[in-house]
Amino acid sequence: MRTVHYHSREHYRDKVFPGPFYSRQKALNVNREWSRWYDYLSVPAYSCSTTEYFAGRNACAVFDLTPMTKHRIGGPDALPFLNRLVTRDVARIKPGRVGYAVWCNDEGQVIDDGTIFHLREGDYRLCSQEHQIDWLMINALGFDVTIVEDTHDVAGLAVQGPTSCAVLKRMGLAGVENITPFGIDFFDFEGTELTVSRTGYTGDLGYELWIDPGHAEILWDRVFEAGELHNIRPMGSDALEMLRIEAGFILAAEDFMPAMQTVRPSHTRSPFELGLGWLVDFNKPLFNGRKALLTEKENGSRYALVKLDIEDNKPANHSYVFDMKEKNIGWVTSAMWSPSAKKNIALATVEAPHGKVGEEMQVEIYYQRELKWSRIMARAKVVKDAFWDPPRRRQTPPADY
Amino acid sequence: MKKHDAIVIGAGHNGITNAAFLAKAGLDVLLVEKNDYIGGATVSRNLHEDWIYSNCSYVCSLLRPEIYRTLDLAKYGLQVVPYGGTVTISQNGDYLGSYIDHDVSRREMARHSHRDADADVRYWRDIMRQCRFIRQFLLRTAPDPASFKPRDLLELLHIGRKFWGLGENVIYDTMRFYTMSISDFLDEYFENPLIKAAHAGSGIIGSALGVMSPGTAYVLLHHAMGDVDGTVGSWGFARGGMGAISKAMHDCYIDHGGQTLAGSGVDQIVVKNGKVTGVALENGDEHHADIVVSNMTLPRTFLECMDPADLRPEFLDKCRNFKIRGSSGKLNIALDGVPKFTALRDNQELMYTDMHLIDSIERLERAYDDWKDGTWSRDPYIDMLIPTLTDPTMAPPGKHFMSVFVQYVPPKVKGKDWTDADRDAFGQTVMNQIEAYAPGFKDLVVHAEVRTPRELENEVGLTEGNIFQGELTMDQLLFNRPIPGYAQYRGPVKGLWMCGSSNHPGGGVMAAPGANAAREILMSLRKPSNVPEGWLDD
Ligand SMILES: Cc1cc2nc3c(=O)[nH]c(=O)nc-3n(C[C@H](O)[C@H](O)[C@H](O)COP(=O)(O)OP(=O)(O)OC[C@H]3O[C@@H](n4cnc5c(N)ncnc54)[C@H](O)[C@@H]3O)c2cc1C
């Protein structure tokens, strides 16, 4: 059921709304704690974030991603519009495929990152962290495109982890195992269309399910019925945060400041500075930020976003990063002890020319033991690959666990 | 004959601030105020039974926190309580609320325009960029660009560095921002008329310009650059009314040995041999000091309280040409209960906020057309609050004080002086306007103080009734305020200083002109400065 009504004058009576899966979440959320994700109630942890995290790495974890900002983009000019909007070549995202993308302003600074779903020929869904309709409409001038934000009209459920494919198969989604990573397929489900993409924010085998909100509850029920034999669990945002850091995925407003809300102009980042240079395709003659990014490519970037493997066992949250001569060169944006990699990991921003793979650095960690604060300087090394990247993430069809 | 170290003319909040810093630095200071109460436009008065009004200014945000701290105003009883949000009520029975809660505000805007709700992020980013730029110059003396004194050159360099530090694109934006109309500026972000109108109001408050007049974008910034507890752009109530601010400042001043004479104004600033020697009061008394600081407006100081023979004609001419046109009026109303605005239904939360009656840029511009035509706006823009829903000290329980600020009201009616009949008719226009949105409102009115530019000039000394002691346009800001060559608080006669809002950084209950002037005076006396300077990043 669609629960957020922009046009109701009475909306102010509630600061936040139950999402389409609310009744099911409420029953399972034994912590009785809720957080807010834009207009919706979200669950930080249903009962224990560690258990929920391990469900995602060991079996199957289910996360409600309805609040994610979603747009439907169509019309004759949808492709040229998207191609000018984002830095990568959207023509290479064929129907039935999903592509990760970033988009920049004229200065080549990242406004947001997100995913482009090429649902059917010329029919796209753009998912983003931030609200984008203002920027999309500015970009639409002169293009024959239709753009609607349909966040509240589409319920999203992430089903992630090694047994996720088995769960969906048991649910009766015939052929779901044939979807390749970043692939999309459609299924008849209880009289409506269920869209399944092999995507996620966990760096593991996983799927995202998209359906009209009226069918949200029954979808949840079917997923959990089928999942019973596959150790399924609901997962809150705390566990998801752990999974995404291990996967090395960045988060807007946490690992970088979206340009549209950055008051201090030098505090924004370019795709190169976020390690997303592979998403910039200069073969395209024109796209937002192209000129500035070309200059940056020639003259060098100001920063690098790095993955750090840190000695010691204390998470380096909010830490400063130093070079080996004790010069402050940056700061940590996300950090955790990785239970799966058994490493102390972090994502950090460092000033150029630092940040080369293999470079040694130091991280200043403040930690507390029985209220007493202490500080250590821990050695750290820049690593290239994600901290967690199992082969099953790519395997098609996935193994039947 | 006793001689003071300094005489400050006018116990407006800037005069008091100035006097307090001088007294704190050990000077023997005499503060002279023409009214028998202090505060100027930062005042709370009891005019009817148990009601206290904020007679002029009514909300606080610009007051520099550094001054609040240094003068220890908290110790002297000042409390500023933030209120959240605004509401703009339209004639068609709908409204646009803005709430402390970001998501609720976004949804509320989206109710009127989905796109504008998003654009608001971009809008505030750009406003905050300009705020960050201007905020650092508030507690600083503006450099004189025509001077070759090392200090001015260094200050210019400082501005230059900050300016270039903004980055290429922000520099373009800044240049445009200072010269644009608020209407054109808003068009670059929003499409919905109500949303534009809601944002436009603060571009014209206190200004004799229309929403379509160039320069009004800056006026908006002037209202957004303050903060309450570090939340830039946020506003609050001074507990007990705005007079609580001047009272706390004054208690601090007295605590540091200051003396105040209230009840007889300065008739003349006395000059002998090209130097000030003191002041002559209306009651015939004379007081002496080598330093005289004027908190009065620029024209009042030089055109009314000095002998023209003591001043250069060119200087006097510039004082005459200083833009200080009145444009606002105010009603302070004692109410028997809380009025009910039809559009708000039972949205109680928005009653605590700053309420505006307007729904389009065009209506705002037409309100200005009336001003140009020499009358008060027939369909006025109204900015009103009910502080007593938050502050329990200003009216008996269940009774309320409503502050109603009105734009536009001309300094003269069709070229003639205001009469009492004009004033009453203006008051009726405003009452009728509110009644149209809140039927039954008039029945709740127990008492009302109606203030036109005439009252503001006669009572507070604000020339032509201009609330900021001078228009806030580029030609009268920074090193051009009040007039080029005199932006450093030093008057044209030895020993004469200026500390009112006519000076940089301008009007509003900011206390910055008073503090900046004190810093300059102490520097001229080669005394260590006790006045905060600069700005803490926020
Ligand atoms: C109706 C109205 C609403 C306002 N609303 C707000 C608001 O909500 N928020 C905000 O921040 N600002 C507001 N302002 C602006 C703000 O109040 C003023 O800019 C500020 O208070 C001016 O302070 P000042 O000390 O510079 O001068 P003033 O307050 O003008 O003080 C000058 C003093 O000098 C005295 N004086 C004049 N002539 C003589 C004389 N010959 N001898 C001795 N004394 C003399 C006067 O009586 C007065 O006390 C408003 C102003 C008005 C008029």
Side-chain angles (χ1 to χ4, degrees):
Chain A
M1 189 185 53
R2 191 186 200 276
T3 53
V4 179
H5 293 279
Y6 269 154
H7 298 288
S8 160
R9 271 172 81 146
E10 307 300 314
H11 73 91
Y12 70 90
R13 294 184 190 281
D14 296 283
K15 290 194 172 166
V16 63
F17 293 84
F21 301 109
Y22 178 73
S23 60
R24 306 306 190 259
Q25 293 174 302
K26 185 169 178 243
L28 294 166
N29 181 2
V30 295
N31 285 342
R32 305 284 180 249
E33 280 176 23
W34 298 86
S35 56
R36 288 170 65 172
W37 183 359
Y38 291 136
D39 302 305
Y40 289 101
L41 281 163
S42 184
V43 184
Y46 286 85
S47 96
C48 165
S49 56
T50 309
T51 314
E52 290 161 27
Y53 158 85
F54 274 109
R57 285 286 181 250
N58 157 63
C60 181
V62 176
F63 179 76
D64 168 23
L65 48 82
T66 308
M68 158 96 56
T69 313
K70 310 173 211 91
H71 312 85
R72 198 67 175 255
I73 298 172
D77 289 342
L79 177 60
F81 163 79
L82 283 168
N83 243 340
R84 201 184 54 159
L85 178 78
V86 305
T87 59
R88 71 178 283 170
D89 186 1
V90 181
R92 293 171 64 171
I93 307 173
K94 300 292 178 207
R97 303 292 302 165
V98 183
Y100 177 51
V102 276
W103 49 102
C104 299
N105 60 17
D106 251 356
E107 290 90 63
Q109 302 301 297
V110 176
I111 289 175
D112 204 354
D113 65 342
T115 37
I116 298 173
F117 291 68
H118 196 169
L119 297 170
R120 294 187 169 92
E121 186 63 51
D123 177 12
Y124 295 91
R125 166 169 298 144
L126 175 70
C127 290
S128 60
Q129 177 67 24
E130 306 293 314
H131 292 98
Q132 294 297 330
I133 208 74
D134 173 48
W135 182 242
L136 296 180
M137 297 313 279
I138 289 174
N139 277 268
L141 189 74
F143 282 83
D144 190 358
V145 281
T146 53
I147 303 170
V148 245
E149 187 192 320
D150 58 356
T151 303
H152 308 304
D153 304 319
V154 182
L157 203 59
V159 180
Q160 303 277 310
T163 64
S164 54
C165 183
V167 173
L168 298 184
K169 270 203 307 203
R170 187 173 301 273
M171 242 179 88
L173 305 184
V176 73
E177 67 277 13
N178 297 324
I179 306 178
T180 55
F182 291 101
I184 306 173
D185 208 349
F186 306 93
F187 300 88
D188 287 331
F189 179 83
E190 300 289 334
T192 190
E193 184 181 82
L194 171 68
T195 305
V196 178
S197 54
R198 188 163 162 188
T199 47
Y201 203 39
T202 64
D204 212 312
L205 175 64
Y207 301 83
E208 288 170 333
L209 279 47
W210 314 89
I211 201 157
D212 74 85
H215 283 79
E217 291 174 339
I218 183 140
L219 175 66
W220 180 287
D221 294 343
R222 289 291 139 78
V223 168
F224 277 83
E225 275 160 33
E228 213 180 318
L229 297 177
H230 301 281
N231 300 359
I232 199 166
R233 274 179 186 276
M235 164 171 79
S237 51
D238 293 349
L240 183 69
E241 173 73 358
M242 297 167 73
L243 296 167
R244 74 99 189 160
I245 298 171
E246 275 184 345
F249 293 150
I250 57 172
L251 178 58
E254 200 159 312
D255 297 299
F256 71 94
M257 274 302 292
M260 275 302 170
Q261 58 196 59
T262 308
V263 175
R264 298 156 182 81
S266 62
H267 289 214
T268 57
R269 295 292 178 265
S270 76
F272 296 118
E273 292 168 340
L274 298 179
L276 301 176
W278 60 278
L279 285 176
V280 181
D281 187 347
F282 287 117
N283 293 323
K284 293 197 296 178
L286 181 71
F287 60 87
N288 283 326
R290 186 180 189 275
K291 205 173 155 202
L293 291 173
L294 210 53
T295 311
E296 181 182 336
K297 201 177 160 72
E298 282 163 17
N299 301 346
S301 304
R302 302 161 302 164
Y303 296 96
L305 192 144
V306 293
K307 300 184 192 74
L308 292 181
D309 181 349
I310 305 168
E311 285 182 0
D312 208 273
N313 60 353
K314 300 158 192 83
N317 293 301
H318 310 295
S319 294
Y320 267 136
V321 179
F322 295 85
D323 67 9
M324 297 313 282
K325 292 183 198 125
E326 318 278 309
K327 181 174 169 273
N328 180 209
I329 55 166
W331 58 91
V332 166
T333 54
S334 296
M336 67 182 284
W337 169 260
S338 161
S340 294
K342 296 292 179 237
K343 279 181 184 152
N344 191 18
I345 65 174
L347 301 176
T349 292
V350 292
E351 288 164 15
H354 296 284
K356 307 251 161 5
V357 171
E359 186 178 340
E360 300 250 312
M361 303 181 174
Q362 304 182 82
V363 178
E364 182 183 33
I365 302 172
Y366 285 82
Y367 65 97
Q368 206 178 14
R369 292 288 180 269
E370 294 175 333
L371 299 184
K372 180 176 181 295
W373 280 100
S374 307
R375 168 187 168 272
I376 49 156
M377 284 292 253
R379 278 176 166 254
K381 196 179 205 157
V382 177
V383 298
K384 179 165 174 287
D385 297 321
F387 307 104
W388 179 255
D389 189 20
R392 64 176 178 240
R393 179 182 175 190
R394 277 170 290 272
Q395 195 182 328
T396 311
D400 247 332
Y401 293 101
Chain B
M1 179 188 71
K2 179 169 170 16
K3 194 169 150 188
H4 300 277
D5 292 331
I7 296 173
V8 179
I9 310 170
H13 82 288
N14 276 312
I16 307 173
T17 298
N18 186 268
F21 278 112
L22 296 184
K24 254 188 107 182
L27 270 61
D28 173 343
V29 187
L30 179 69
L31 178 62
V32 206
E33 165 59 48
K34 74 176 179 64
N35 292 323
D36 52 14
Y37 52 88
I38 60 154
T42 310
V43 69
S44 306
R45 296 183 68 200
N46 168 224
L47 300 180
H48 179 76
E49 293 177 7
D50 295 328
W51 273 267
I52 292 168
Y53 297 158
S54 282
N55 306 72
C56 289
S57 59
Y58 46 103
V59 282
C60 174
S61 160
L62 300 167
L63 178 61
R64 299 310 305 147
E66 299 87 349
I67 295 170
Y68 202 143
R69 237 159 94 169
T70 318
L71 296 183
D72 216 347
L73 300 183
K75 174 177 144 194
Y76 296 104
L78 179 59
Q79 260 184 287
V80 176
V81 184
Y83 64 84
T86 63
V87 59
T88 306
I89 305 179
S90 68
Q91 283 169 309
N92 70 3
D94 204 347
Y95 64 86
L96 173 78
S98 104
Y99 300 80
I100 307 175
D101 190 279
H102 183 79
D103 290 319
V104 180
S105 273
R106 177 176 45 75
R107 278 199 298 276
E108 174 73 353
M109 279 190 140
R111 191 162 81 73
H112 298 279
S113 160
H114 186 175
R115 184 176 174 179
D116 286 359
D118 255 26
D120 202 49
V121 173
R122 184 164 54 91
Y123 173 78
W124 281 108
R125 175 196 68 182
D126 292 350
I127 293 290
M128 283 303 136
R129 279 187 182 166
Q130 297 303 332
C131 281
R132 281 181 55 77
F133 180 61
I134 192 72
R135 276 164 68 84
Q136 35 192 340
F137 301 119
L138 301 178
L139 265 191
R140 264 189 121 90
T141 298
D144 184 344
S147 141
F148 288 99
K149 284 196 215 124
R151 174 172 169 231
D152 287 308
L153 292 176
L154 280 173
E155 272 297 307
L156 277 172
L157 202 67
H158 175 81
I159 294 196
R161 249 195 230 120
K162 293 290 170 191
F163 194 58
W164 298 119
L166 289 174
E168 189 185 352
N169 288 302
V170 186
I171 294 176
Y172 296 140
D173 291 345
T174 306
M175 304 288 271
R176 296 177 67 240
F177 186 81
Y178 276 77
T179 51
M180 268 176 119
S181 74
I182 183 65
S183 156
D184 286 345
F185 183 68
L186 291 169
D187 280 344
E188 299 193 350
Y189 299 87
F190 303 113
E191 58 183 16
N192 179 272
L194 182 58
I195 290 176
K196 284 193 217 178
H199 285 87
S202 42
I204 51 149
I205 292 258
S207 172
L209 294 169
V211 279
M212 296 180 180
S213 316
T216 41
Y218 172 78
V219 181
L220 173 123
L221 181 61
H222 201 85
H223 287 94
M225 70 191 182
D227 67 290
V228 176
D229 295 328
T231 308
V232 180
S234 153
W235 288 79
F237 295 117
R239 194 167 191 269
M242 293 298 276
I245 298 174
S246 23
K247 181 180 179 302
M249 290 171 164
H250 193 255
D251 286 354
C252 169
Y253 166 66
I254 296 297
D255 225 15
H256 287 91
Q259 303 166 56
T260 302
L261 280 180
S264 182
V266 167
D267 181 48
Q268 278 281 310
I269 296 172
V270 185
V271 177
K272 281 187 189 130
N273 300 324
K275 282 191 223 165
V276 296
T277 58
V279 296
L281 301 191
E282 281 156 358
N283 65 11
D285 292 352
E286 284 211 18
H287 297 275
H288 306 281
D290 289 340
I291 291 175
V292 172
V293 193
S294 171
N295 179 203
M296 299 180 289
T297 66
L298 180 81
R300 201 174 174 91
T301 308
F302 296 104
L303 304 178
E304 292 179 34
C305 293
M306 287 192 75
D307 184 347
D310 291 328
L311 298 165
R312 289 181 298 108
E314 216 181 329
F315 179 85
L316 280 171
D317 197 41
K318 292 208 169 106
C319 293
R320 218 168 280 129
N321 290 325
F322 184 61
K323 276 189 299 179
I324 184 162
R325 305 165 299 189
S327 62
S328 322
K330 197 172 177 224
L331 268 65
N332 296 308
I333 303 175
L335 293 173
D336 210 14
V338 183
K340 279 218 166 312
F341 289 88
T342 316
L344 295 187
R345 298 185 190 160
D346 56 350
N347 190 334
Q348 188 58 31
E349 196 176 337
L350 293 175
M351 294 295 295
Y352 292 93
T353 73
D354 200 346
M355 300 182 273
H356 305 99
L357 304 182
I358 196 66
D359 42 30
S360 74
I361 292 284
E362 288 72 20
R363 255 178 97 199
L364 278 167
E365 185 67 7
R366 257 172 236 126
Y368 179 51
D369 289 341
D370 289 340
W371 181 90
K372 284 183 280 184
D373 200 30
T375 63
W376 62 89
S377 307
R378 302 298 160 185
D379 176 20
Y381 170 60
I382 286 178
D383 170 19
M384 59 193 174
L385 291 120
I386 308 178
T388 44
L389 284 170
T390 303
D391 181 347
T393 69
M394 298 177 78
K399 315 282 178 194
H400 291 280
F401 158 53
M402 184 152 132
S403 164
V404 182
F405 185 89
V406 189
Q407 199 75 18
Y408 294 84
V409 193
K412 283 188 193 284
V413 181
K414 297 274 183 193
K416 297 204 189 89
D417 287 336
W418 281 82
T419 62
D420 288 353
D422 291 333
R423 182 198 56 203
D424 295 345
F426 158 68
Q428 272 315 308
T429 302
V430 177
M431 294 278 190
N432 291 339
Q433 181 81 323
I434 301 173
E435 176 81 19
Y437 291 80
F441 162 77
K442 285 198 204 171
D443 299 335
L444 297 171
V445 176
V446 203
H447 173 263
E449 180 194 22
V450 181
R451 322 196 84 190
T452 73
R454 175 182 69 164
E455 284 74 28
L456 294 177
E457 169 144 22
N458 292 347
E459 292 170 25
V460 192
L462 291 165
T463 308
E464 294 189 36
N466 183 293
I467 74 163
F468 292 133
Q469 285 205 356
E471 193 74 73
L472 299 170
T473 46
M474 203 46 196
D475 55 326
Q476 297 190 163
L477 286 174
L478 281 163
F479 41 72
N480 287 331
R481 192 170 185 92
I483 50 182
Y486 292 91
Q488 299 183 339
Y489 312 96
R490 206 184 270 264
V493 176
K494 192 165 173 17
L496 181 59
W497 298 82
M498 309 174 284
C499 77
S501 301
S502 287
N503 301 278
H504 168 77
V509 181
M510 202 174 347
N516 288 343
R519 195 185 314 105
E520 292 294 322
I521 293 168
L522 292 173
M523 206 189 299
S524 79
L525 294 173
R526 300 186 192 286
K527 292 210 175 248
S529 168
N530 57 4
V531 186
E533 182 170 16
W535 162 81
L536 298 170
D537 188 11
D538 33 53

